[in-house]
């Protein structure tokens, strides 16, 4: 069995997501398993080329994981013909310029979302990639979560009948940074640096809704900055200029209504950090990161509202756990393997820059809806 190696320029791996999920749990994990298996049985390993602004951090990561190539010179990394793929996990505000450089250099591009801060820039990236004829993809990791894979299995099997509504709850308390260190970088809370939960999470919700339930036709949203001041990594107080919570109502095709709350200012009282409840004429399901529970209409109880009597029913006991029926790998790693096959043998990969632009569009329209206080239709992009 033949094995070959291709270079992958990885920009932004000193950040949390770029390092943990993409470098360690995806690219290096792929190499540890012997590479990506192609349709002819051959394997391809990935040779990471680490790129960033901080030479010392890059050198430390490279030494820690035995990586030979690292540089602060993106142009030099892109000039190497052996590097076929460019990956971007930088802050959003730096992404467009670097991705355009990679496209101009003829590299196939895989990037974190959102692809840009505005729909115009996101659409321009999609057009540039199409014009240059390069393969392109956007991370849509939540589609590969075990909980949502089980949910997709239920949809494909007709469990719900006609789907009526979707209710999503996402979030947790991100500490302000004064008496306890914040779990997220401070740029997330500065609009001028590309921060904000709408721009961060609405692209996620867009691809979840689009791939599982149907195209988004309208949005009504309220974006809020609940915590007006936070403390950065250097211990300095700064004004939080970006939204830290958003409450959205989305109308999907076929009349499905989705309500999704996103918040970095909520304390968790649910089984997982994100949960989606899907209600249909034949049954309902609640899916999280890993688990999924269902209740068929034949086993649905018949509650009666009476505030004068204590509730005796334990409603959660009426739900059944959906079995795994499969082994679930890391979702980021799965999508990396799909993209490598897409680049090397044109295997299907629907999560392209055009899909990414639709996610940015929803975030932009969500912010506009919040500012104008009205429901806004989503035009086809």
């Amino acid at each position: 069995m033949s094995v070959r190696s291709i270079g992958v320029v990885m920009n932004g791996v000193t950040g949390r997501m770029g390092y943990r999920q993409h470098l360690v749990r995806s690219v290096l994990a792929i190499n540890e398993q012997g590479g990506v298996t192609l349709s002819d049985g051959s394997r391809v390993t990935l040779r990471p080329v680490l790129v960033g602004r901080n030479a010392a951090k890059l050198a430390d990561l490279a030494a820690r994981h035995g990586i030979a190539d690292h540089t602060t010179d993106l142009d030099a990394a892109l000039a190497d013909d052996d590097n076929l793929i460019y990956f971007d996990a930088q802050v959003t505000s730096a992404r467009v310029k670097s991705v355009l450089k990679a496209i101009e250099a003829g590299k196939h591009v895989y990037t974190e979302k959102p692809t840009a801060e505005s729909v115009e820039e996101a659409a321009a990236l999609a057009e540039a990639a199409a014009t240059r004829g390069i393969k392109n993809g956007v991370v849509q990791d939540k589609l590969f979560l075990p909980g949502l894979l089980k949910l997709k299995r239920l949809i494909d099997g007709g469990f719900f009948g006609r789907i009526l509504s979707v209710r999503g709850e996402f979030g947790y308390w991100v500490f302000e940074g004064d008496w306890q260190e914040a779990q997220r970088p401070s740029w997330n809370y500065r609009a001028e640096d590309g921060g904000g939960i709408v721009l961060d999470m609405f692209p996620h919700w867009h691809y979840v809704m689009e791939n599982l339930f149907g195209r988004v036709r309208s949005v009504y949203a309220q974006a809020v900055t609940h915590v007006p001041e936070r403390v950065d990594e250097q211990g300095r107080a700064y004004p939080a200029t970006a939204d830290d919570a958003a409450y959205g109502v989305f109308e999907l095709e076929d009349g499905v209504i989705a309500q999704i709350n996103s918040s970095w200012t909520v304390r968790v009282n649910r089984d997982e950090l994100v949960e989606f409840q899907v209600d249909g004429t034949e049954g309902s399901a609640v899916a999280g990161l890993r688990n999924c529970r269902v209740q068929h209409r034949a086993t649905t109880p018949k509650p009666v509202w009476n505030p004068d009597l204590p509730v005796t029913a334990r409603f959660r006991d009426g739900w059944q756990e959906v079995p795994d029926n499969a082994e679930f790998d890391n979702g980021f790693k799965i999508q990396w393997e799909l993209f490598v096959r897409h680049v090397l043998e044109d295997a299907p990969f629907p999560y392209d820059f055009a899909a990414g632009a639709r996610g940015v569009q929803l975030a932009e329209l969500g912010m506009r809806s919040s500012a104008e206080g009205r429901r806004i239709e989503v035009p086809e992009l």
Side-chain angles (χ1 to χ4, degrees), residues 118-257:
S118 71
V119 67
E120 289 82 8
E121 288 181 317
L125 288 183
E127 184 177 353
T131 300
R132 191 69 169 78
I134 62 104
K135 302 288 177 61
N136 54 93
V138 181
V139 176
Q140 299 194 348
D141 56 285
K142 287 177 175 48
L143 293 175
F144 302 93
L145 291 170
L148 291 193
L149 289 173
K150 294 175 186 178
L151 190 58
K152 180 67 162 57
R153 186 198 307 161
L154 293 170
I155 294 170
D156 292 344
F159 170 81
F160 295 102
R162 180 169 62 88
I163 293 178
L164 308 174
S165 63
V166 181
R167 290 196 297 278
E169 289 284 346
F170 164 79
Y172 47 94
W173 189 270
V174 176
F175 284 94
E176 299 90 331
D178 47 4
W179 71 288
Q180 287 199 53
E181 183 179 351
Q183 310 97 294
R184 297 182 65 87
S186 58
W187 70 264
N188 285 274
Y189 305 95
R190 293 190 291 264
E192 59 272 23
D193 292 333
I197 202 166
V198 171
L199 185 58
D200 188 17
M201 297 311 302
F202 273 37
H204 277 303
W205 308 147
H206 178 269
Y207 69 68
V208 169
M209 291 185 287
E210 183 176 72
N211 283 277
L212 294 183
F213 310 112
R215 191 176 79 82
V216 183
R217 297 198 178 279
S218 73
V219 55
Y220 173 76
Q222 184 69 49
V224 184
T225 304
H226 285 306
V227 178
E229 184 177 272
R230 293 179 178 268
V231 176
D232 67 15
E233 292 80 359
Q234 288 72 44
R236 298 177 301 220
Y238 67 94
T241 55
D243 44 287
D244 56 22
Y247 311 91
V249 179
F250 310 90
E251 180 188 3
L252 313 184
E253 57 188 348
D254 297 328
V256 177
I257 301 297

Side-chain angles (χ1 to χ4, degrees), residues 54 95 100 118 140 164 168 205 213 239 255 263 269 292 294 298 336 364:
N54 190 313
R95 183 159 296 139
L100 283 174
S118 71
Q140 299 194 348
L164 308 174
W205 308 147
F213 310 112
S263 179
N269 185 21
C292 184
V294 294
W336 265 96
E364 192 168 284

